[in-house]
Amino acid sequence: MTQADTAAPAAGGADLGPARDRRRRVPNPDGAWPWLFVLPTLIGLAIFYFWPVVQTAYYSFTEWGVFGGAEFVGLENWISLLESGQVPRALVNTLVYTAMLLLGIPISIYIASLLNRPGLRFAAFYRVLYFAPFVSMPAAIALVWGMIFNSQYGILNQFLGVFGIPPVFWTSTEWVALIAIGIVGIWSSLGFNIIILGAGLRSIPAEMYEAARIDGASNWRQLISITVPLLSPSIFFLTVLSVIHGMELFDLIFIMIGESNPIKGDTQSMVSLFYREAFISNDKGTGAAIAILLMLIIGALTAVQFAVQRRRARS
């Protein structure tokens, strides 16, 4: 047997398995130090995030007395919640609002592309104007827009009256109120979207736009063929955040619609339903069930978004 024959198995990789196993079993030279550094964060997550979720899941199977004390009742809260018929309507309202927030992303792309044009004067000032609503208190935003949408003295109805359009009851008509709330949501989220998309736009090489202009591509064609495809990571990020934010709708409905409004039951969101059951009706078990249901819905929607994004990345 020649030396080449003895070296052939090693060259073919047949005898490298034990060597690989030995390399895999090499102890980590850092030891437990990395875990010690992240331990405070893990403890905080476990105490303030994971444990409350476990508690809420348990409370969804209990019934609370007026003066405290939980009694295990099994699936009774879940059955009564699904039979009440309030969840489907609240879920539809929440999904409609979430869909309107998603419509704000194309608007943000267009505005961000305008603000990032080379040579635009006062671009930083415009960005501040768009970003200001995002850092404002949601209660203040709801109060201001509530006055704008007021059917009697609101500036919007006064503007429509100039053209002979009769007053619209923006916050006291069933689906009109939901659309008005969606408009406010889009307006208040534009600033954050524009900042994220603007950062993505600045990473796109200017040479690509110059080559497209030389080939005769219009501004709209450049937006569709260059800007949107290269902004897909930022768009995906904003889509996930918009869905989560939309499913958590509460403050705009609570202030703009109000508790005395006759359509409050027809415009309530999932979080509004949770608030009403847990704090108004003092039914903590049903409120916990709504919270867990909302968490599962958000988790499912997020998982679907990630699955669609992975499929698009492969294709």
Side-chain angles (χ1 to χ4, degrees):
M1 181 180 295
T2 63
Q3 186 177 1
D5 294 334
T6 59
D15 294 339
L16 293 180
R20 291 196 189 98
D21 293 339
R22 285 195 297 271
R23 285 197 295 270
R24 292 194 191 100
R25 290 194 292 267
V26 173
N28 185 3
D30 296 328
W33 282 106
W35 291 102
L36 291 177
F37 281 112
V38 301
L39 187 60
T41 302
L42 293 178
I43 293 175
L45 289 174
I47 294 176
F48 298 107
Y49 287 90
F50 298 139
W51 176 243
V53 171
V54 174
Q55 272 189 318
T56 304
Y58 170 73
Y59 290 153
S60 67
F61 300 102
T62 61
E63 182 178 357
W64 285 71
V66 179
F67 300 102
E71 178 185 356
F72 187 80
V73 294
L75 296 174
E76 183 178 331
N77 292 328
W78 290 88
I79 294 174
S80 62
L81 178 64
L82 297 177
E83 289 180 348
S84 65
Q86 298 184 80
V87 171
R89 184 54 189 270
L91 181 58
V92 168
N93 293 336
T94 306
L95 291 176
V96 169
Y97 175 78
T98 303
M100 293 190 68
L101 282 189
L102 293 176
L103 289 178
I105 296 179
I107 300 174
S108 303
I109 294 174
Y110 182 72
I111 297 176
S113 62
L114 293 179
L115 293 179
N116 282 271
R117 282 186 173 182
L120 178 65
R121 301 181 61 184
F122 310 112
F125 175 71
Y126 296 142
R127 293 190 185 97
V128 171
L129 286 182
Y130 278 107
F131 192 72
F134 181 76
V135 297
S136 302
M137 293 294 294
I141 292 175
L143 287 173
V144 172
W145 277 95
M147 291 186 289
I148 294 175
F149 284 124
N150 189 278
S151 59
Q152 297 179 353
Y153 55 82
I155 187 174
L156 182 57
N157 276 343
Q158 293 183 11
F159 175 76
L160 295 177
V162 175
F163 301 95
I165 302 175
V168 179
F169 296 91
W170 296 98
T171 57
S172 57
T173 306
E174 186 176 338
W175 287 106
V176 176
L178 198 59
I179 293 174
I181 292 172
I183 292 173
V184 179
I186 293 175
W187 175 80
S188 59
S189 63
L190 282 179
F192 180 77
N193 295 350
I194 290 171
I195 293 298
I196 299 298
L197 294 171
L201 285 170
R202 285 189 287 274
S203 65
I204 299 176
E207 292 79 6
M208 300 187 68
Y209 292 104
E210 294 177 1
R213 283 193 292 269
I214 292 174
D215 291 339
S218 63
N219 291 335
W220 177 253
R221 187 63 183 176
Q222 294 175 34
L223 179 67
I224 298 300
S225 301
I226 299 176
T227 305
V228 173
L230 294 181
L231 280 180
S232 58
S234 300
I235 295 173
F236 171 69
F237 173 73
L238 291 177
T239 302
V240 173
L241 288 187
S242 297
V243 169
I244 295 174
H245 178 66
M247 297 299 294
E248 297 173 346
L249 170 66
F250 174 71
D251 40 22
L252 293 179
I253 285 183
F254 184 77
I255 296 176
M256 292 181 63
I257 302 301
E259 286 296 301
S260 60
N261 198 317
I263 65 167
K264 67 176 182 179
D266 297 324
T267 57
Q268 67 180 351
S269 63
M270 290 293 292
V271 182
S272 299
L273 181 60
F274 160 77
Y275 171 79
R276 183 169 302 172
E277 292 293 333
F279 297 102
I280 303 300
S281 301
N282 200 30
D283 190 351
K284 301 296 192 299
T286 304
I290 296 172
I292 294 299
L293 178 61
L294 181 60
M295 184 191 72
L296 294 176
I297 293 173
I298 293 176
L301 292 176
T302 305
V304 169
Q305 288 176 289
F306 273 92
V308 172
Q309 180 67 13
R310 283 196 296 269
R311 181 173 298 181
R312 291 183 58 187
R314 294 193 192 102
S315 61

